[in-house]
Amino acid sequence: MIPKFLVFCFLVLLSFSSQAQEIEMADRLRADGKIWVVVAVFLVTFAGVIAYLIRLDTKISKLEKEISK
């Protein structure tokens, strides 16, 4: 139990220290207006993963119905 707690504390402290740093690449992308390209690629990828999971769930449900007959 204690090692898990120590790992959790370490990760929390690590996240605080990473937020304090300025990310030059993100600032540069914002300045050039290319941040929207990054956002668009992220959204398209996320939408693709969601669509895949929905399709997979539909197929699994169909197979479960066939098995239960």
Side-chain angles (χ1 to χ4, degrees), residues 49-67:
V49 169
I50 295 298
Y52 173 74
L53 289 175
I54 290 171
R55 185 170 168 237
L56 189 62
D57 182 53
T58 305
K59 286 184 176 184
I60 290 173
S61 298
K62 184 178 176 183
L63 286 172
E64 286 175 344
K65 287 180 183 177
E66 287 181 12
I67 290 174

Side-chain angles (χ1 to χ4, degrees), residues 2-64:
I2 293 176
K4 289 182 182 180
F5 178 73
L6 291 176
V7 170
F8 174 76
C9 290
F10 174 76
L11 291 175
V12 169
L13 291 174
L14 184 66
S15 69
F16 287 139
S17 66
S18 66
Q19 288 177 358
Q21 299 173 355
E22 292 185 25
I23 301 173
E24 294 177 20
M25 182 177 59
D27 292 336
R28 180 72 179 170
L29 287 172
R30 276 190 218 103
D32 292 343
K34 294 180 183 178
I35 192 72
W36 297 112
V37 175
V38 175
V39 171
V41 168
F42 172 77
L43 290 176
V44 167
T45 305
F46 186 72
V49 169
I50 295 298
Y52 173 74
L53 289 175
I54 290 171
R55 185 170 168 237
L56 189 62
D57 182 53
T58 305
K59 286 184 176 184
I60 290 173
S61 298
K62 184 178 176 183
L63 286 172
E64 286 175 344

